[in-house]
Amino acid sequence: MNTYWPNMFTISRRACTQEGTLCNCELASSPSTRSRVLKDDTLPFSAFLTDSFGRRHSYLRISLTEKCNLRCQYCMPEEGVKLTPRAQLLTTAEVLRLARLFVHEGVDKIRLTGGEPLIRPDVLDIIAELRKLEGLKTIAVTTNGMNLARLLPKLKDSGLDLLNISLDTLIPAKFEFIVRRKGFHKVMEGIDKALEMGYNPVKVNCVVMRGLNEDEILDFVALTEKKPIEVRFIEYMPFDGNKWNFKKMVSYQEMLDCIKQQWPALEMVPTGHADTAKGYKVPGFAGKVGFISSMSDHFCGSCNRLRLTADGNLKVCLFGNSEVSLRDELRSGATETQLLDIIGAAVGRKKKQHAGMLNLSKMKNRPMILIGG
């Protein structure tokens, strides 16, 4: 578990009668003293964004839309999903107001997700406005890459720092089977464009599923030989409607063993304390690989992430089904102090770790596309 950072702020909360519901939680200190005093990492972090296990949440993922131009099997049920009515989605002003609030409290990295964030018409404006927030160090986007080559020059001009591109196969026909759409060459064009424009590394997310694409693991590693690409192999995770099956999951240890048979000199590389991926590199290769082992070897102890869904719900854990609507509070006229009290109460209820892969497969949760994958 990560080192606990002493908190100068004493927080007392009345026990909630039901996890995930709004309660009349009370914080003992005044609003002015509860927030972070300065944006210096050596000082105590915001009490609102620090949970009961000392984890400091400095990374916010914001879903900009539930819509997507692909239909990936592990993300969206085959029959599709019922989209939230537009009036119930966060407006641009609401997204920016909440982002500003979180950044003021210590969030220094925001990742824009979806659905597919690049199909939101005002995505460039949102990035440009986020870039103005003092204290925000990193703006990232996770995209399926379909519109990336066309939009990337403007995205970079608006202030985009990092890119994650989803790609689960290097075979065009298999691509169409997995995502239920055409477009493989558009995604590859987007990756090449990102490299051309100097993004380093360009992260490529690959969800590995047994019987579907585990035979391409070595081909993905080979992509890192000449180019500064970071391929991140993600264990198949259970979400509503994706027909998760334990037998389909390929553990990171199995993937690692497969790669080491081809490249025995594969070496581990240092990663940040809160990084989700275990990093490795083939000596002499320009890029590297990583493994996101959410199922077989969780990294909950160092989690620093919060998620804001497109309809304005705060999720403190990707695999938790507890949510709090910040949209409803915004629209009912809540002040920033009231919003922070609600955020602080939700963060304070975050569990030490998720329930484990077998229990997760039985739990009710949103489809991945409605969370912000």
Side-chain angles (χ1 to χ4, degrees):
M1 182 171 164
N2 59 316
T3 303
Y4 176 75
W5 289 77
N7 200 327
M8 67 164 57
F9 312 114
T10 302
I11 306 176
S12 64
R13 297 183 175 90
R14 292 205 295 268
C16 302
T17 57
Q18 181 181 354
E19 184 185 2
T21 60
L22 282 179
C23 59
N24 294 320
C25 299
E26 295 181 344
L27 289 86
S29 55
S30 68
S32 60
T33 59
R34 285 198 305 264
S35 61
R36 193 173 56 161
V37 180
L38 291 173
K39 293 181 173 60
D40 185 336
D41 288 343
T42 63
L43 294 178
F45 192 75
S46 168
F48 297 108
L49 303 186
T50 304
D51 68 17
S52 59
F53 302 98
R55 292 173 295 200
R56 310 190 309 171
H57 296 80
S58 58
Y59 179 3
L60 178 66
R61 298 172 64 103
I62 302 176
S63 175
L64 294 184
T65 179
E66 296 176 346
K67 295 179 179 180
C68 187
N69 44 7
L70 298 182
R71 296 292 184 270
C72 298
Q73 294 186 25
Y74 54 82
C75 180
M76 184 184 287
E78 188 173 359
E79 67 276 12
V81 295
K82 184 177 180 181
L83 297 175
T84 303
R86 184 174 180 179
Q88 296 176 27
L89 299 176
L90 290 177
T91 66
T92 301
E94 289 169 337
V95 167
L96 294 173
R97 182 182 174 191
L98 289 173
R100 191 175 299 112
L101 185 63
F102 277 96
V103 171
H104 183 267
E105 291 302 310
V107 163
D108 60 17
K109 179 177 180 178
I110 289 179
R111 178 174 297 280
L112 302 177
T113 67
E116 170 48 43
L118 298 190
I119 66 174
R120 178 153 171 160
D122 59 353
V123 63
L124 296 173
D125 297 330
I126 290 173
I127 293 172
E129 289 301 312
L130 290 176
R131 188 77 281 166
K132 298 175 184 178
L133 297 180
E134 183 180 354
L136 183 59
K137 298 175 183 176
T138 305
I139 302 173
V141 160
T142 294
T143 173
N144 61 30
M146 294 288 283
N147 297 334
L148 185 58
R150 175 173 59 85
L151 289 176
L152 195 51
K154 292 181 179 179
L155 287 166
K156 189 168 187 178
D157 287 345
S158 297
L160 181 66
D161 299 304
L162 295 177
L163 271 171
N164 285 36
I165 304 166
S166 297
L167 181 64
D168 304 309
T169 178
L170 299 174
I171 302 171
K174 192 187 291 186
F175 177 91
E176 291 183 30
F177 174 74
I178 293 174
V179 308
R180 305 185 181 112
R181 295 289 187 275
K182 296 182 182 293
F184 172 79
H185 297 292
K186 288 185 178 180
V187 179
M188 296 305 294
E189 183 184 358
I191 293 172
D192 289 340
K193 187 69 173 180
L195 291 167
E196 175 191 323
M197 295 191 64
Y199 283 93
N200 185 357
V202 174
K203 294 184 178 181
V204 174
N205 292 346
C206 176
V207 177
V208 180
M209 294 165 280
R210 193 179 308 280
L212 189 61
N213 63 348
E214 87 275 20
D215 59 332
E216 296 186 64
I217 290 173
L218 298 183
D219 295 329
F220 272 99
V221 177
L223 287 179
T224 71
E225 182 175 3
K226 303 294 184 184
K227 300 176 180 179
I229 290 174
E230 180 179 339
V231 176
R232 309 196 322 160
F233 296 112
I234 302 172
E235 291 180 344
Y236 183 38
M237 296 177 281
F239 294 96
D240 277 12
N242 73 353
K243 300 179 181 178
W244 187 86
N245 186 313
F246 175 75
K247 295 179 180 179
K248 291 182 181 180
M249 195 201 80
V250 182
S251 73
Y252 103 88
Q253 190 61 56
E254 183 179 344
M255 292 187 261
L256 184 61
D257 291 344
C258 171
I259 296 169
K260 283 185 173 180
Q261 288 181 25
Q262 177 71 24
W263 291 285
L266 184 75
E267 58 188 19
M268 198 168 192
V269 296
T271 55
H273 169 69
D275 285 354
T276 57
K278 298 170 174 66
Y280 288 82
K281 183 181 180 69
V282 178
F285 279 24
K288 59 183 181 178
V289 298
F291 302 91
I292 299 181
S293 56
S294 304
M295 296 291 95
S296 67
D297 185 20
H298 71 75
F299 34 83
C300 302
S302 60
C303 181
N304 68 339
R305 293 157 189 77
L306 300 172
R307 285 172 167 80
L308 187 62
T309 63
D311 58 351
N313 281 13
L314 178 66
K315 284 179 71 75
V316 297
C317 175
L318 173 62
F319 298 108
N321 50 20
S322 299
E323 301 182 3
V324 175
S325 178
L326 299 184
R327 176 204 65 202
D328 290 350
E329 298 301 322
L330 274 175
R331 294 181 183 182
S332 66
T335 64
E336 289 194 355
T337 299
Q338 290 169 328
L339 287 170
L340 286 174
D341 284 348
I342 293 164
I343 292 167
V347 172
R349 293 193 295 271
K350 184 170 181 174
K351 295 180 179 180
K352 184 177 181 179
Q353 62 190 55
H354 66 60
M357 61 179 159
L358 295 180
N359 289 324
L360 289 174
S361 65
K362 303 171 186 174
M363 288 173 56
K364 184 71 177 173
N365 197 3
R366 295 183 184 221
M368 187 58 163
I369 193 168
L370 298 185
I371 295 175

